[in-house]
């Protein structure tokens, strides 16, 4: 852990876990973002403060590797580090470790700053990035992007709910996970556990809209599957993702 | 706090709060149930253990009074006390206090024990109740019940999702709150704050089912409203509730 990183301890509550007795992927991202929120509060740049400037941090891409999902009642360490930035993007890493300091998950995230009125990405002012002691990098990172769906194996509709909306007055990224993965159905989510996920956010979704979550399921081995996901509103792409899965082996199913 | 009670400290995370900057009603119940889960773990009767006996605790009624909803980042105390029991029901109280020991919320809850195979309520065995040092009372409590809807002012459909299902393989009560209140819509939930709620659970809802949430909105004063709620699956009643609201005065909206 580097000095410019931020770390905190967290006990996973029962309501943060699902039928498998572990944290779901969306909740995993919530937990990681908690450290980022707390670091921002600590340096005096809370979401509320950024919001009062008419701005809001948004995520444009998440890349997650999962070694093991945190379990019900487990105590974990959540760490974040604002790695680098350029005029428009901020690159931040997150880790979850168990109490023996074994890495459970790692996430690389691309943030951008949105103007709340224009709903457009703006240049990041120096005073919003300086307190994180992040490294300035002129280059924009070229991260792998999830591929388009070749066919639709599963499809479900999701209407935006009050509790989906966040401080930026749009659906919080974390709810995209719920829509993407729920479309795979219960049998799939009990049978397989996620290994990695790459999510690209293309367009915000707002209250009153109806989203369609489409998924393609491709077997890649005897015990491994890759799923491809797209979330659309009126045929316009909001989000695209790819997720690798393996057969669930841990005896933690209730 | 009595000696047979159980109490714990909790910091409200950002993802436990909504657009109003406070905990929603469903999450409030989650927080209270956390103390009950932790007490059960402490006395060696975890949900998993009860589950292995082919049984599961279910809630048949909740009565909640709210003085103030916990805020984002606030540290609270959660307390529970298994008050009394008879052959079929357990009566338990919950409180949330702020750090100055001011009461924020109080909930009275009726629990029953369900046979996981038969999906029916069974007589509570002595060994599942004894460790809580609860008082035996022959009388069944006669609590006020929410009234039937006189008309439907709002209606929304909700399909059961993977993350709605709990250890009892049915929709967790807490998700009923989301369905009941989301049907009121965003404008209502920003304008008013809940004062009290009485919820009677009639029939479980399982994965694959589609629920309809119906609400009646009745003004009771210039700044007060009462809402009545029913959740149905194929016209069969699953849950009925009544909720009192007052105009939101706290300047906590983001």
């Amino acid at each position: 852990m580097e000095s410019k990183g931020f770390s905190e301890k967290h006990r996973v509550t029962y309501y943060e876990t699902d039928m498998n007795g572990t944290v779901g992927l969306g909740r995993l991202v919530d937990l990681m973002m908690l450290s980022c929120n707390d670091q921002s509060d600590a340096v005096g740049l809370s979401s509320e403060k950024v919001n009062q400037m008419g701005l809001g941090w948004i995520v444009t891409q998440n890349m997650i590797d999962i070694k093991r999902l945190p379990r019900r009642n487990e105590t974990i360490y959540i760490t974040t580090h604002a790695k680098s930035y350029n005029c428009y993007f901020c690159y931040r890493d997150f880790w979850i470790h168990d109490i023996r300091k074994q890495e459970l998950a790692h996430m690389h995230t691309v943030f951008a700053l949105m103007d709340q009125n224009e709903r457009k990405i703006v240049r990041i002012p120096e005073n919003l990035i300086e307190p994180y002691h992040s490294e300035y990098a002129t280059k924009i990172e070229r991260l792998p992007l999830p591929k388009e769906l070749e066919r639709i194996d599963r499809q479900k509709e999701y209407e935006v709910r009050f509790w989906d909306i966040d401080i930026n007055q749009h659906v919080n990224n974390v709810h995209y996970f719920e829509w993407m993965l729920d479309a795979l159905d219960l049998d799939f989510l009990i049978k397989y556990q996620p290994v990695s996920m790459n999510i690209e956010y293309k367009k915000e979704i707002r209250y009153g809209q109806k989203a369609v979550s489409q998924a393609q399921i491709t077997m890649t081995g005897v015990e491994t599957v890759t799923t491809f996901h797209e979330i659309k509103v009126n045929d316009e792409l909001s989000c695209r993702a790819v997720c690798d899965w393996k057969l669930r082996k841990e005896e933690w199913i209730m």
Side-chain angles (χ1 to χ4, degrees), chain A:
Chain A
M1 268 170 252
E2 291 177 62
S3 61
K4 46 190 173 178
F6 183 92
S7 196
E8 65 185 276
K9 208 171 163 178
H10 179 83
R11 200 250 312 195
V12 176
T13 64
Y14 83 95
Y15 56 79
E16 287 172 348
T17 61
D18 59 29
M19 274 184 82
N20 295 312
T22 52
V23 163
L25 262 180
R27 186 59 79 197
L28 189 79
V29 175
D30 263 343
L31 289 174
M32 294 203 258
M33 295 298 290
L34 178 62
S35 63
C36 174
N37 267 266
D38 287 336
Q39 185 185 27
S40 297
D41 285 358
V43 301
L45 288 175
S46 67
S47 310
E48 288 79 3
K49 201 164 172 182
V50 174
N51 215 248
Q52 283 158 7
M53 301 171 188
L55 301 167
W57 287 107
I58 58 162
V59 172
T60 63
Q61 190 169 358
N62 280 335
M63 294 182 71
I64 315 167
D65 288 313
I66 306 118
K67 294 214 173 75
R68 174 173 72 74
L69 290 168
R71 295 179 184 128
R72 182 168 306 150
N73 280 334
E74 184 172 4
T75 295
I76 53 171
Y77 292 97
I78 314 165
T79 307
T80 186
H81 171 219
K83 193 185 154 211
S84 63
Y85 72 102
N86 52 48
C87 295
Y88 289 98
F89 299 101
C90 252
Y91 304 99
R92 191 182 264 277
D93 283 288
F94 297 87
W95 295 268
I96 290 183
H97 290 88
D98 67 12
I99 44 165
R100 292 171 305 158
K101 304 285 160 96
Q102 294 293 306
E103 187 185 300
L104 302 186
H106 173 215
M107 178 168 78
H108 184 63
T109 296
V110 186
F111 284 91
L113 203 59
M114 184 184 67
D115 180 298
Q116 296 277 8
N117 287 323
E118 300 286 334
R119 312 304 291 179
K120 274 185 185 161
I121 284 174
V122 293
R123 188 177 268 265
I124 304 167
E126 197 57 33
N127 63 324
L128 285 192
I129 192 80
E130 190 275 323
Y132 299 105
H133 303 296
S134 184
E135 211 174 280
Y136 181 77
T138 43
K139 269 193 182 172
I140 288 182
E141 285 189 7
R142 298 285 165 211
L143 301 170
L145 295 176
K147 278 189 218 163
E148 242 179 275
L149 259 65
E150 287 167 359
R151 59 172 195 277
I152 300 161
D153 294 325
R154 303 279 166 91
Q155 174 162 325
K156 268 196 185 179
E157 277 194 0
Y158 297 92
E159 205 172 327
V160 177
R161 300 179 184 176
F162 175 74
W163 284 277
D164 296 329
I165 304 297
D166 70 8
I167 193 164
N168 290 324
Q169 291 142 52
H170 61 201
V171 174
N172 187 278
N173 305 46
V174 159
H175 295 275
Y176 287 41
F177 286 84
E178 199 173 327
W179 297 349
M180 287 191 281
L181 306 184
D182 179 62
L184 297 173
D185 92 18
L186 186 138
D187 290 342
F188 185 98
L189 296 169
I190 285 178
K191 191 172 178 186
Y192 298 102
Q193 60 187 79
V195 174
S196 67
M197 194 160 181
N198 183 358
I199 313 104
E200 189 195 7
Y201 302 95
K202 305 284 280 183
K203 197 177 179 345
E204 62 176 351
I205 303 180
R206 308 200 62 177
Y207 188 75
Q209 293 190 309
K210 202 176 263 183
V212 58
S213 168
Q214 299 174 328
Q216 174 187 331
I217 303 175
T218 302
M219 290 300 299
T220 50
V222 183
E223 299 190 345
T224 54
V225 193
T226 299
T227 57
F228 301 88
H229 303 267
E230 283 176 3
I231 292 178
K232 290 173 183 167
V233 173
N234 299 329
D235 285 328
E236 198 171 8
L237 190 68
S238 292
C239 169
R240 184 175 280 148
V242 56
C243 189
D244 286 327
W245 305 79
K246 64 178 181 189
L247 210 60
R248 192 180 296 277
K249 294 256 166 106
E250 291 175 77
E251 266 310 310
W252 197 261
I253 295 172
M254 298 184 304

